[in-house]
Amino acid sequence: MDSKTVDVGGQRISYAESAGDGRPVVFVHGNSASSGTWQGVLEGSFGRRFRCLAIDLPGHGDSAPAADQAIYSLPGYARVVAEFAATLRVTDAVFVGWSLGGHIVLEAAPDLLPAAGFVIFGTPPVSGPADMANAFLPNPVMNVGFTAEVSPEDARAYAASFTAPGSTISLESSVADILRTDGAARACLMASLGAGQAADEAAIAGSLAQPLAILHGDQEQLVSLPFIQQLTIPSLWRGSVQVIPGTGHAPHLEDQAAFEALLTEFIADLG
């Protein structure tokens, strides 16, 4: 995959692009991650078939820290993703968001009208703070994602929560991403959520005109499947959450073949 940069509203944004020239697929990573989390997908058969664009959010990966810390919020990130797509003239695309990236995709969805469809995973669409206790599983390691200063030990514990319990996949890339992320991105995100700076994601998901696929690892350590299943989402792909066996919060890393197969089937169903 090729690493590139683009100016988005005065912000230097790094992104990776695959060799494919099929339908555009825009990937948005999670909290304290980077475009590198999608490397296997972009460099494999999926990336050779589709035009994959994986953004580094401000303060993450190789993108510059936010020029204005108000960007470190769901509305701020959503504006960056929408402007990124517009700057690169991406139309009729599928937007794929993992974890925080899924919340960003939902927040941005009303401004992504040319989008063909959406895929989220590790992302419970919440209406507001009152939903948080039911939407997320009780796991103290989640606090790392909202803490400015993170030790190597805490970074490893946080990365381990991305996978199924007992997983043997390497965590080194995830740990490195966590440690290189601008600490203000985590702290400011927490402050913005506390200030109520987030859209009603359940309402957005429930009113989407385009298909929405929701994927979920059956050994997820952070997100509640029953919470997602009780939501009313008329455009939900196949009418149900697609559960990927043997995976946790990051099925794209744990079972790339199963993840890519579902993405490919979703895109095929879009016509």
Side-chain angles (χ1 to χ4, degrees), residues 84-135:
F84 171 77
T87 300
L88 295 181
R89 298 182 180 180
V90 176
T91 59
D92 199 33
V94 172
F95 287 80
V96 181
W98 167 46
S99 195
L100 173 63
H103 294 289
I104 293 167
V105 165
L106 287 175
E107 184 101 19
D111 296 319
L112 298 172
L113 297 181
F118 303 96
V119 180
I120 61 173
F121 61 106
T123 303
V126 295
S127 293
D131 282 344
M132 301 294 277
N134 292 324

Side-chain angles (χ1 to χ4, degrees), residues 12 14 26 28 32 52 56 59 92 96 114 131 213 228 232 239 248 257 271:
R12 180 177 60 78
S14 177
V26 178
V28 185
S32 300
C52 299
D56 279 340
D92 199 33
V96 181
D131 282 344
I228 301 174
T232 300

Side-chain angles (χ1 to χ4, degrees), residues 85-181:
T87 300
L88 295 181
R89 298 182 180 180
V90 176
T91 59
D92 199 33
V94 172
F95 287 80
V96 181
W98 167 46
S99 195
L100 173 63
H103 294 289
I104 293 167
V105 165
L106 287 175
E107 184 101 19
D111 296 319
L112 298 172
L113 297 181
F118 303 96
V119 180
I120 61 173
F121 61 106
T123 303
V126 295
S127 293
D131 282 344
M132 301 294 277
N134 292 324
F136 292 94
L137 302 176
N139 192 326
V141 78
M142 284 187 66
N143 293 330
V144 175
F146 302 104
T147 303
E149 299 296 327
V150 175
S151 69
E153 294 74 23
D154 285 343
R156 184 164 293 277
Y158 188 47
S161 74
F162 299 166
T163 61
S167 171
T168 59
I169 72 168
S170 174
L171 301 175
E172 298 310 313
S173 293
S174 295
V175 171
D177 277 343
I178 293 165
L179 293 175
R180 74 187 296 204
T181 297

Side-chain angles (χ1 to χ4, degrees), residues 46 49-50 237 259-269:
F46 186 89
R49 179 176 178 182
F50 300 102
W237 183 53
F259 175 76
E260 290 182 2
L262 284 169
L263 280 189
T264 301
E265 292 164 13
F266 177 72
I267 292 170
D269 285 350

Side-chain angles (χ1 to χ4, degrees), residues 24 27 36 80-82 192-193 212 231 243 256:
F27 291 91
V80 169
V81 169
S192 72
L193 292 173
L212 170 67
L231 296 174
V243 177
Q256 182 180 323

